[in-house]
Amino acid sequence: MTALLRVKDLHVSFGRGPAEVKAVRGVSFEIEKGETVALVGESGSGKSVTALSVMQLLPYPRAHHPQGGILYKGEDLVGAPEGVLRGVRGGEIGMIFQEPLTSLNPLHSVEKQISETLLLHKRLTPRRARDRVVELLELVGMEGASGRLGDLPHQFSGGQRQRIMIATALANEPDLLIADEPTTALDVTIQAQILKLLKGLQDKLHMAMLFITHDLGIARHMADRTCVMTEGEVVEHGPTAEVFSAPQHPYTKKLLGAEPKGYPGDGDGGDAPPLIEGTDVKVWYPVRGGLLRRTVDHVKAVDGISVSVKPGRTLGVVGESGSGKSTLGRALLRLEKSQGSIVFAGTELQGLGFKRIRPLRSDMQMVFQDPFGSLSPRLSVGQIVGEGLEVHAPKMDREARDREIASTLEEVGLDSADRHRYPHEFSGGQRQRISIARALVLKPRLIVLDEPTSALDMSVQAQIVDLLRDLQERHGLAYLFISHDLKVVRALSHDVVVMKDGRVVEQGPADAVFEAPKTPYTKALMAAAFDIEADESGVVRG
């Protein structure tokens, strides 16, 4: 049988001469019609560069292929005329990109972005294209699809934006789908649904898939064959079952053993009162309508939630996208306007003005979900980490401040010399360490961590979890840990709150919630999180 896609001895370099960076070196694999091949490996291994090469979407001519070929249905795409590539992109080959927010045009509606490929390749009328867009959005589980066609990307959650990307890629029922980390931003239940959806569509359309992921549990159940990549090379490949059951290469063995393990420390707050306590916290956003734009309803992002965290303990907040997790975290830090009582270290925060709450800011810090987006590209790491010291310790001289910055960077596992570099020069895991250092340098008592490991490789996730546990034990930190990754929550949290639609559906000690969940929703979350890896039948459930 002739392969649908054949990648032969592919090399990809950026730049030339002494500055040349060899990103991919001698990669070869084939994909038959209806087959799934997974490329797995850590960030920087060359997975995405290989995938983008298939569609010829790299920044040419800075990027170039010193040797090798990419044969699609027997035709070499490397250096192919633009007319040939236009016919393939979005038509015969669809692609789900890793970062939906940066891949979607912020100025165009969802309908316009999805229908663009239908108008171009299928020549549909605007009316038929609109109907097809609604059908696609419903297919990927977008609630109220017909009423959201005019919405812009920023009006959707991360998981919803990923669904929009998947709908766009599937619009023309491609023969080959390239999925670049398609479930990274998704909750466990939605992840299971999307994987099941992709599998179902693949069977229905007899579609081939090139599946790129750092989640080995997903690769094991999605792929017929797996290629393990590191430093631009494929170090192991073969039938997925064989690669996972009897790995040969040391790197593959390292990947298989790298996931967050263990449990949090004792975290015994004793008789100490809660460091932070929220009672009946509400965050309601008005919905305005009519000619006079009066408030006709409210979006209840957080609807009457009560939580507390003692010193030295971690409260894990879990739930699907749109459940209100991040909004709750911001509200407790008074970064979001809210109702209800919020008491920090014995002080009621509600009603405090900017000047009165500012001195408390050094004691309560936040690590944001996207480290690259939350770190200024124009400031050096030293300036980023030291910015808080300039505000909260203005009398500290320059030398003392520099020593404090260097010491904090060392504490989070970075070289103190890194303070002279810029965020774009670091990997995702290193940027997350910089974000943690920025919060830690002020010696806070509480840190709110908003999805700090969601975009990281398994091995880097494990490192960050170990780092956070170590910092907590050393400094007695209280954490509010927001995540949809239940394995990470299990490894870090003493107590857990499960949220859905702005409300708490279950809460209690982590052991009790994980080992004996009471509500159907929590049980569904646990099943989706752990069955993807535990179900040896090869069926993705959820």
Side-chain angles (χ1 to χ4, degrees), residues 203-459:
D203 294 339
K204 177 184 174 183
L205 305 174
H206 204 47
M207 178 177 65
M209 267 201 289
L210 177 60
F211 201 97
I212 295 143
T213 183
H214 65 255
D215 191 322
L216 300 183
I218 291 174
R220 182 169 64 188
H221 294 299
M222 287 296 290
D224 301 297
R225 289 184 295 115
T226 295
C227 298
V228 181
M229 289 189 68
T230 182
E231 297 180 354
E233 297 180 318
V234 172
V235 295
E236 187 163 353
H237 63 89
T240 300
E242 292 182 14
V243 171
F244 279 81
S245 61
Q248 302 299 310
H249 196 276
Y251 180 75
T252 310
K253 295 176 182 177
K254 173 194 162 189
L255 279 183
L256 291 172
E259 68 173 27
K261 294 184 178 70
Y263 300 95
D266 292 339
D268 184 10
D271 296 327
L275 178 62
I276 189 164
E277 187 169 20
T279 305
D280 196 27
V281 177
K282 296 179 181 178
V283 180
W284 290 10
Y285 299 111
V287 177
R288 304 186 189 279
L291 186 62
L292 301 178
R293 307 299 295 166
R294 290 177 175 152
T295 299
V296 296
D297 201 354
H298 288 87
V299 174
K300 300 176 181 180
V302 174
D303 192 18
I305 289 180
S306 298
V307 294
S308 64
V309 191
K310 285 188 174 184
R313 292 183 68 84
T314 300
L315 175 65
V317 182
V318 302
E320 298 174 297
S321 289
S323 63
K325 307 186 301 293
S326 297
T327 305
L328 174 64
R330 292 194 301 269
L332 291 175
L333 294 186
R334 278 286 309 274
L335 299 175
E336 192 87 47
K337 188 176 180 181
S338 65
Q339 298 174 349
S341 171
I342 300 172
V343 177
F344 178 78
T347 300
E348 173 61 64
L349 300 185
Q350 298 286 39
L352 292 185
F354 176 79
K355 288 185 178 180
R356 291 185 62 194
I357 202 171
R358 184 174 177 178
L360 297 173
R361 289 287 180 206
S362 60
D363 282 335
M364 45 185 190
Q365 290 290 298
M366 187 163 188
V367 175
F368 295 93
Q369 181 172 358
D370 179 7
F372 195 57
S374 63
L375 300 176
S376 172
R378 298 184 178 184
L379 298 180
S380 70
V381 168
Q383 291 171 314
I384 289 169
V385 174
E387 195 171 19
L389 292 174
E390 292 182 17
V391 174
H392 293 284
K395 295 182 180 180
M396 183 182 287
D397 62 55
R398 184 181 297 240
E399 288 186 6
R401 187 162 59 241
D402 195 54
R403 285 195 302 271
E404 194 65 39
I405 293 167
S407 171
T408 305
L409 288 172
E410 295 279 357
E411 191 169 20
V412 298
L414 294 171
D415 192 322
S416 59
D418 288 340
R419 65 189 186 279
H420 304 300
R421 298 166 61 193
Y422 288 81
H424 72 272
E425 300 178 71
F426 295 87
S427 69
Q430 289 172 321
R431 285 196 289 264
Q432 198 58 280
R433 289 173 185 265
I434 294 166
S435 296
I436 294 170
R438 176 173 59 180
L440 194 65
V441 74
L442 293 171
K443 305 291 191 292
R445 300 167 67 185
L446 168 72
I447 300 180
V448 174
L449 299 133
D450 188 5
E451 300 275 12
T453 63
S454 64
L456 304 181
D457 304 314
M458 285 287 189
S459 59

